[in-house]
Amino acid sequence: MHTADAHQSPPKRPSSLWIGILLYGGYLAIFFTTWTLNGIDYLRIGENAETTRLWYALPTLFGCTFLVVAISALGWWRHALFDQSRSGPVWVWILPAVIFAVILHNFSSLIVDKLSPPLLLWSTLGAVGVGFGEEMITRGSMIVGLRSRFSEVRVWLFSTLLFSALHVPNVLFGLPLWQMPIQVLLTFIFGSGM
């Protein structure tokens, strides 16, 4: 988030916890309905261009389209993207720096021979969709809604718990049950850093 003017203009629709929850639920409904209709096998996401398109890119892009329309109608863009002031110590940038290093390491071990233009396209669109969708729903609109009722510490806690909770239903689509708590814990740590 970036610093905005000290006095932000009010949104078209006042911020509300319930609207934030409705956006969260709407995004998840679209995402998981797309997975269900496309017959996802969670452990095979990214196996080829078709599984990447159906199970990674399309659900996130449909969810993102919903968020763009809804946040535009609410007039929440400025409040979802910009904080009035910067908060937190500088050392919190350690986690994003570590994540960036892990990403670079993963790219260095990428087998380029297996990349096809469609796989690269759908992987990129999926990554943009996940990044925008999950962050906008839990770090953008949800924070706007939570700030209407809670202190910053509770906003961090609830938004991060909701970010982690996005990943719990993965067990219904093929993620082994024993892996779900690990995924939820890692997303909580990642979400806290973000």
Side-chain angles (χ1 to χ4, degrees), residues 9-183:
S9 60
K12 292 177 192 174
R13 172 95 175 153
S15 57
S16 156
L17 175 60
W18 295 111
I19 293 174
I21 290 170
L22 286 173
L23 292 174
Y24 183 85
Y27 178 85
L28 290 180
I30 291 167
F31 187 93
F32 291 122
T33 297
T34 306
W35 265 7
T36 301
L37 293 174
N38 288 338
I40 186 176
D41 179 354
Y42 187 86
L43 296 178
R44 292 180 46 228
I45 295 174
E47 184 176 82
N48 56 49
E50 188 65 5
T51 63
T52 303
R53 180 179 73 84
L54 292 174
W55 302 337
Y56 184 50
L58 290 182
T60 62
L61 295 174
F62 292 157
C64 289
T65 301
F66 162 74
L67 290 176
V68 166
V69 170
I71 293 169
S72 296
L74 293 167
W76 283 16
W77 282 112
R78 184 167 192 76
H79 297 271
L81 293 174
F82 302 102
D83 280 332
Q84 289 186 7
S85 62
R86 294 189 188 273
S87 60
V90 174
W91 63 264
V92 297
W93 283 96
I94 292 171
L95 185 58
V98 169
I99 292 168
F100 183 71
V102 169
I103 290 169
L104 286 179
H105 172 35
N106 288 343
F107 273 122
S108 71
S109 61
L110 189 65
I111 302 170
V112 181
D113 298 346
K114 293 189 177 188
L115 277 180
S116 66
L119 179 59
L120 188 58
L121 170 69
W122 290 113
S123 296
T124 302
L125 290 173
V128 169
V130 166
F132 177 82
E134 291 186 4
E135 287 302 306
M136 186 51 64
I137 197 62
T138 60
R139 297 288 173 263
S141 60
M142 186 55 69
I143 284 180
V144 172
L146 289 168
R147 282 183 174 158
S148 72
R149 186 168 290 181
F150 298 109
S151 68
E152 283 300 304
V153 171
R154 287 188 176 181
V155 168
W156 155 76
L157 178 62
F158 295 148
S159 68
T160 304
L161 286 172
L162 288 168
F163 176 67
S164 295
L166 288 172
H167 302 86
V168 171
N170 292 346
V171 297
L172 301 174
F173 297 99
L175 178 71
L177 183 59
W178 68 270
Q179 288 183 0
M180 188 263 295
I182 297 166
Q183 189 178 63

